Amino acid sequence: MHCSGLDFAELLAMKIVVDVFIEAGCMGVMELVLESNSRVVLNWIVNPIARPRVWWETFLKLDRAARLVGKLSFYHIERVDNSMEALLAKEGANRTEIFKAWW
C-alpha cells in the first residue's frame, strides 16, 4: 500500500475539523459532514484493517473524537485540479505546530 504525505495531510485535516467541532460545542447540536476528495483516506476511515500502521495513533485519536461527535458523516467529492490545495496540504503536513481558528 502506498501512503503519501497528501493522504496524511488529509487525515490530519479531518482530525482537526472534528477537534474544532468539539471545542466549539457543536456536539449533539448538529451533524458534522466531512467531505474529502481522497478515496484512500475515506477507505481507511471506514475500514480499519486497511489503515497504515505508521499513522495508527492518529486514526485512534480521530476515532475517539468521532465517537464524541455522534452525528458524523463522510462523503467523497471529486478532485478538482487545484494545485494551491495540494501545496497547502503539503505545507500543513510539514508544520511542527497546528494552528486552529474559528469565528
Side-chain angles (χ1 to χ4, degrees), residues 26-96:
C26 296
M27 299 178 314
V29 176
M30 62 186 73
E31 179 180 11
L32 175 59
V33 177
L34 291 174
E35 296 177 342
S36 174
N37 59 18
S38 174
R39 290 187 191 273
V40 172
V41 175
L42 291 172
N43 181 52
W44 292 340
I45 289 171
V46 299
N47 185 7
I49 294 171
R51 296 174 175 179
R53 290 185 183 194
V54 67
W55 300 331
W56 195 254
E57 187 62 31
T58 302
F59 284 111
L60 291 177
K61 289 177 183 176
L62 178 60
D63 290 342
R64 281 186 219 117
R67 281 192 296 276
L68 288 174
V69 169
K71 297 178 183 178
L72 177 61
S73 300
F74 296 92
Y75 292 98
H76 178 260
I77 57 171
E78 291 301 319
R79 182 178 301 269
V80 176
D81 185 21
N82 186 342
S83 58
M84 182 57 75
E85 175 191 24
L87 174 68
L88 291 172
K90 286 179 188 176
E91 290 299 317
N94 293 327
R95 292 182 64 116
T96 57

